[in-house]
Amino acid sequence: MMRSYFGMWIVAAALLFGGNAGAQLQMAQPWTSYKPDGGRFSVEMPRPPKETIVQVPTAGGATVPMLEATAVVPGRASYIVSYVDYPASVTKGAAADVILNQVRNGSASGNTVRDEKKLQLGRAEGREYAVVQANGNVAVTRIYWSRGRLFQLVVDGKAGIEKQPETRKFLESFAIITPEQR
């Protein structure tokens, strides 16, 4: 009962005081755990994401489906998580390091990469880097390669987004779920 009164008070304050209270109300909303069926991962997002399927080109003119989930916080940032399974015929014999470098190069094409570091999440190799775009925005990106699957996390926003606590929370909440953890 107390909780509903508190929630109504915050809504009333937002309506009465406008701007700042409205922004505080937006920030006060709890994050949500996102764990898509078959995704083999979980991540915390600032709001429930919108899912789309994007066809990703591979060698020989074929495509593979990529699930992309996006949560937009207006005026702040977009939080994007995706995964795609590549056929063995595309990645056969390629080391994770080579695949991750190719993904980084593709995602940063025409822009500037900075602050790159190698990551390890369980048995999955990964990278984190920032891409400075021509419009001044920054896309903080984490990629992981695990068992033929590429996971990508991106926070896209204005310069300085890479230092925001919400960016770190999103990136660091990502977990790969192994079959024995289901």
Side-chain angles (χ1 to χ4, degrees), residues 15-155:
L15 293 172
L16 288 173
F17 302 112
N20 289 341
Q24 289 172 356
L25 175 61
Q26 220 177 31
M27 289 174 26
Q29 291 178 346
W31 282 50
T32 182
S33 181
Y34 175 66
K35 184 177 163 184
D37 290 339
R40 297 191 334 231
F41 73 91
S42 67
V43 68
E44 294 295 312
M45 297 189 83
R47 57 188 55 196
K50 178 183 175 200
E51 292 181 351
T52 56
I53 301 293
V54 178
Q55 293 299 319
V56 176
T58 63
T63 62
V64 291
M66 175 178 74
L67 175 78
E68 183 175 274
T70 304
V72 177
V73 178
R76 298 193 63 150
S78 295
Y79 299 81
I80 305 159
V81 62
S82 66
Y83 73 88
V84 60
D85 293 318
Y86 285 99
S89 61
V90 172
T91 60
K92 188 176 183 178
D97 200 48
V98 170
I99 292 168
L100 294 170
N101 286 340
Q102 289 176 338
V103 171
R104 179 208 53 225
N105 293 344
S107 70
S109 181
N111 297 300
T112 304
V113 174
R114 68 170 196 228
D115 304 325
E116 182 175 10
K117 61 183 174 182
K118 290 186 176 188
L119 303 171
Q120 191 77 34
L121 184 61
R123 295 177 60 189
E125 290 185 45
R127 299 279 185 286
E128 180 177 325
Y129 52 93
V131 176
V132 181
Q133 302 162 22
N135 65 4
N137 277 5
V138 174
V140 181
T141 304
R142 275 196 183 181
I143 52 177
Y144 293 100
W145 180 255
S146 176
R147 300 179 184 176
R149 179 170 281 188
L150 177 70
F151 298 98
Q152 299 178 84
L153 297 102
V154 179
V155 180

